[in-house]
Amino acid sequence: MTTTADTTTTGTTAATGTTATASPGERFARAFAEDPEKAEVRFDHTITDSFQPGKDRPRLTARNLFKKQRVTSETVRSWFETRPATPSASGGLRESAYRFEAATYGVRPITAWVQIPDALGEQPDALAQFIDHRLMVRLGTAENRALTLDVVDHPDVATLPYTGSYAAGVLAAFNEIEQQGGTGHALMINPQDYYGELVGAGSLLADLAREQVMVCRHRHVAPGSALVGDFAMAARLLDAGRSVIKVAEAPPGLFERPGTAVCAEVHESVAVQQPTHFFHAVRA
């Protein structure tokens, strides 16, 4: 069974007539109760945008750092700015030598999976909680990874090696962004560095907070490194505004034993328009 979760101003779910305050897990549990083998719920919004697991324990996700652009097709024509192959010797502003090109950006599916414990199939409330607390969290993790790698792996995002302290490496990246007219307003770091290099280790965390710099910590930036950038101005989160939670066949080898697998999927990506305004600080 396939249902569609509508987010119109009436606040109703089109297939069931239930209020839009129902969580993704609750909507899926209803569909599963009606058809355990083909349960599927489609949403006309990106469910990671409405799902806020950190509201009771504040923590930024990767999508929080970017301005969002709603897209209605799989590809978007736009532009990007990059450095010339040979640095300019004109003695003018660094960015005056940068060049602009047309670009095509695409959105792609980001997915996460769980396997439903057999006993939950007959317990709608427990199944709803399981989807909300495990599948949605895993989808958020997959999204963090995908959006981060869109920037870190971009061929024109410069690596900035450092040899001194971690703090010096991070601040050098902020300086590089401002030397070309940008503002490094956020950084992504590994929790190991957040708790080992920032919390309780000098004034850097307080200094960043004073400058209203956003700090996003997650595992998809390697320990000892930091992705520093003008996230809000130099890139866009391309959001297709559609999602699905469904029973599906899991990829081979994903689970150790047979069982009912459920997939959650969103469609998005990051368009890095100014890779010049990001620096990946890494230990030399």
Side-chain angles (χ1 to χ4, degrees):
M1 175 186 178
T2 301
T3 64
T4 301
D6 184 15
T7 56
T8 61
T9 55
T10 58
T12 62
T13 300
T16 63
T18 57
T19 63
T21 57
S23 70
E26 289 168 337
R27 292 172 180 171
F28 176 79
R30 294 189 188 111
F32 189 84
E34 295 185 27
D35 190 347
E37 295 183 359
K38 299 179 181 179
E40 180 174 313
V41 182
R42 294 189 176 274
F43 303 82
D44 64 357
H45 63 281
T46 299
I47 51 180
T48 50
D49 196 18
S50 59
F51 181 66
Q52 299 293 332
K55 64 182 180 180
D56 297 322
R57 344 165 252 164
R59 183 173 173 182
L60 292 173
T61 65
R63 72 167 17 250
N64 296 140
L65 306 184
F66 301 98
K67 288 185 177 178
K68 184 170 65 176
Q69 178 179 335
R70 183 71 175 264
V71 298
T72 57
S73 60
E74 295 302 309
T75 59
V76 177
R77 288 288 290 170
S78 188
W79 57 273
F80 77 99
E81 176 187 58
T82 191
R83 301 172 181 85
T86 303
S88 172
S90 66
L93 295 173
R94 186 188 305 184
E95 65 269 25
S96 64
Y98 294 169
R99 62 180 186 269
F100 303 96
E101 304 285 351
T104 300
Y105 301 101
V107 298
R108 84 297 198 186
I110 298 172
T111 60
W113 293 83
V114 293
Q115 195 173 43
I116 299 176
D118 292 338
L120 293 189
E122 299 177 358
Q123 303 291 329
D125 290 345
L127 177 58
Q129 291 180 16
F130 178 69
I131 296 298
D132 285 335
H133 289 278
R134 296 316 308 147
L135 181 58
M136 290 298 299
V137 170
R138 290 191 176 184
L139 181 61
T141 298
E143 181 186 65
N144 273 345
R145 176 177 173 79
L147 301 185
T148 300
L149 294 183
D150 279 347
V151 183
V152 170
D153 290 345
H154 193 287
D156 291 323
V157 169
T159 296
L160 189 66
Y162 68 90
T163 56
S165 67
Y166 181 79
V170 168
L171 294 177
F174 280 102
N175 173 61
E176 284 294 320
I177 293 170
E178 294 206 11
Q179 290 297 338
Q180 53 204 331
T183 300
H185 87 285
L187 73 158
M188 294 181 180
I189 63 175
N190 192 283
Q192 176 176 311
D193 297 310
Y194 182 81
Y195 293 107
E197 302 288 349
L198 299 188
V199 176
S203 66
L204 180 57
L205 186 58
D207 293 337
L208 294 174
R210 185 187 63 248
E211 297 298 322
Q212 299 183 28
V213 172
M214 303 169 72
V215 180
C216 174
R217 63 186 190 272
H218 58 69
R219 296 166 286 170
H220 311 301
V221 176
S225 67
L227 178 62
V228 181
D230 198 345
F231 287 82
M233 296 301 294
R236 286 292 181 271
L237 172 59
L238 302 181
D239 190 333
R242 66 180 188 273
S243 314
V244 64
I245 300 177
K246 61 183 178 180
V247 173
E249 184 176 349
L254 183 62
F255 298 115
E256 294 181 354
R257 56 188 180 183
T260 300
V262 179
C263 169
E265 183 176 277
V266 295
H267 293 255
E268 56 191 348
S269 69
V270 174
V272 184
Q273 295 174 309
Q274 292 176 277
T276 54
H277 284 46
F278 290 94
F279 283 90
H280 188 203
V282 299
R283 223 176 248 126

